[in-house]
């Protein structure tokens, strides 16, 4: 095993320490704000610890954090929209990615480049056609409309990520299934899909996070407070100019991040094991 020189080891430890502080300090700042009951508005000075430790900001947020809309409604909207967008992006992206990976057809290369272009362009470039399309379908201001919007934003990433995963699976495995009498759908369901599960899970998580954390584009498709998400409510509180204690904003941010943290804690070990070892553990 290669042994690092003392100077290189010190530099590496210093770099890792700086990266860790860069990640930890903002999180600690949000935690400090959330539990500071002495804040009556925007904080004017920095403190490492709350002046007055209190859980009242959390209780206030759990009641009516935004325009008399309860926290449960905001959380429900966020989870429904994010889960629906992730499922739609993965299902349709998986179908398109499999076609790009396994079939040869006219326009295949052009379609790949077009999909890549949509991934590079900023989301604001698609708001006008989506706005017109959803208005014509009369679902622009509904939760279903937001699901379609966020699924469209996540689709390019899902397509390219899953296409690479499908291409990495040896064709010989699928050809052996064909010799045993399996059709295209059966071979995909029994051979390709299990082997590509880690990449599918990663694509679903990324699509979920994209929809869960987005707060600017969604305002174009929302007219009622009942369809606002948690991310939108935090942005609205910050930009409204209202004298709301920032401790409540910090509490809302922590409560919003809790489902994401729980998801990663539940699935991180499985994802890492399957990404490193594939299906050998089964």
């Amino acid at each position: 095993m290669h042994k690092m020189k003392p100077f290189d080891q010190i530099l590496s430890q210093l770099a890792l320490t700086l990266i860790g502080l860069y990640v930890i300090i903002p999180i600690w700042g949000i935690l400090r704000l959330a539990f500071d009951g002495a804040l009556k508005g925007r904080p004017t000075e920095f403190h490492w610890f709350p002046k007055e430790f209190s859980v009242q900001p959390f209780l206030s947020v759990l009641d009516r954090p935004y325009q008399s809309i309860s926290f449960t409604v905001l959380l429900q909207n966020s989870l429904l929209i994010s889960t629906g967008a992730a499922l739609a992006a993965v299902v349709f992206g998986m179908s398109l990615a499999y076609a790009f990976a396994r079939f040869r057809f006219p326009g295949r290369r052009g379609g790949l480049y077009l999909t890549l272009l949509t991934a590079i362009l900023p989301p604001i470039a698609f708001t006008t056609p989506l706005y017109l399309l959803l208005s014509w379908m009369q679902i622009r201001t509904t939760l279903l409309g937001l699901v379609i919007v966020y699924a469209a934003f996540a689709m390019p990433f899902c397509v390219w990520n899953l296409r690479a995963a499908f291409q990495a699976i040896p064709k010989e495995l699928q050809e052996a299934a064909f010799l045993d009498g399996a059709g295209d759908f059966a071979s995909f369901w029994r051979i390709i899909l299990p082997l590509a599960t880690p990449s599918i899970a990663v694509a679903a998580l990324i699509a979920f996070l994209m929809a869960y954390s987005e707060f600017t584009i969604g305002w174009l498709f929302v007219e009622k407070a009942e369809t606002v998400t948690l991310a939108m409510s935090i942005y609205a509180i910050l930009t409204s100019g209202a004298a709301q204690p920032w401790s409540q904003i910090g509490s809302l941010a922590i409560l919003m991040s809790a489902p994401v943290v729980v998801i990663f804690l539940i699935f991180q070990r499985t994802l890492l094991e399957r990404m490193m070892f594939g299906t050998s553990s089964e």
Side-chain angles (χ1 to χ4, degrees):
M1 182 181 295
H2 177 69
K3 187 176 181 180
M4 296 180 62
K5 297 179 180 179
F7 181 73
D8 294 337
Q9 188 172 3
I10 292 174
L11 287 180
S12 299
Q13 295 296 329
L14 180 61
L16 292 174
T17 302
L18 292 176
I19 294 173
L21 291 175
Y22 181 80
V23 175
I24 293 173
I25 289 179
I27 298 176
W28 178 257
I30 292 294
L31 288 171
R32 199 272 300 178
L33 286 176
F35 288 100
D36 195 343
L39 283 175
K40 303 304 179 183
R42 183 189 297 267
T44 57
E45 53 186 4
F46 178 78
H47 296 280
W48 284 107
F49 300 97
K51 284 187 175 182
E52 179 184 330
F53 184 85
S54 174
V55 296
Q56 185 59 40
F58 285 92
L59 298 178
S60 300
V61 165
L62 289 174
D63 184 20
R64 303 285 179 180
Y66 175 74
Q67 289 191 5
S68 71
I69 303 300
S70 66
F71 174 81
T72 54
V73 172
L74 296 175
L75 179 61
Q76 178 180 322
N77 291 342
S78 295
L79 293 178
L80 285 175
I81 292 170
S82 303
T83 304
L87 288 175
V90 167
V91 170
F92 292 106
M94 185 168 53
S95 303
L96 188 57
Y98 183 74
F100 282 138
R102 283 291 189 259
F103 301 110
R104 298 295 181 267
F105 51 88
R108 173 179 171 272
R109 185 177 296 273
L112 277 173
Y113 286 129
L114 183 60
T115 305
L116 180 61
L117 177 63
T118 57
I120 296 174
L121 291 175
I124 194 68
F126 305 100
T127 54
T128 300
L130 285 172
Y131 187 94
L132 296 176
L133 177 62
L134 297 180
S135 297
W136 175 73
M137 297 173 64
Q138 297 183 355
I139 58 172
R140 180 179 61 83
T141 59
T142 64
L143 295 180
L144 177 60
L146 285 175
V147 168
I148 295 174
V149 169
Y150 293 140
F153 293 159
M155 274 277 290
F157 170 80
C158 292
V159 170
W160 276 87
N161 182 65
L162 296 178
R163 173 180 173 268
F166 293 150
Q167 286 183 325
I169 299 174
K171 292 184 178 180
E172 291 76 10
L173 296 176
Q174 198 170 10
E175 291 172 354
F178 290 151
L179 293 176
D180 291 336
D184 288 331
F185 180 79
S187 64
F188 174 80
W189 185 261
R190 298 176 182 177
I191 305 297
I192 303 298
L193 197 61
L195 294 176
T197 298
S199 297
I200 295 173
V202 170
L205 282 174
I206 297 299
F208 178 89
L209 291 177
M210 290 175 64
Y212 192 74
S213 60
E214 205 285 325
F215 57 86
T216 54
I217 305 299
W219 283 111
L220 298 175
F221 303 90
V222 168
E223 289 184 355
K224 298 179 180 179
E226 291 78 8
T227 56
V228 170
T229 64
L230 281 172
M232 293 181 194
S233 63
I234 294 176
Y235 176 77
I237 293 172
L238 287 172
T239 58
S240 63
Q244 187 164 354
W246 276 47
S247 56
Q248 295 184 14
I249 298 176
S251 303
L252 188 58
I254 291 175
L255 291 173
M256 175 184 171
S257 62
V260 178
V261 174
V262 171
I263 290 173
F264 274 105
L265 289 177
I266 292 175
F267 294 105
Q268 66 173 346
R269 183 175 180 180
T270 301
L271 285 174
L272 289 176
E273 286 180 353
R274 292 184 68 89
M275 289 176 69
M276 289 190 296
F277 304 109
T279 57
S280 59
S281 61
E282 296 183 353

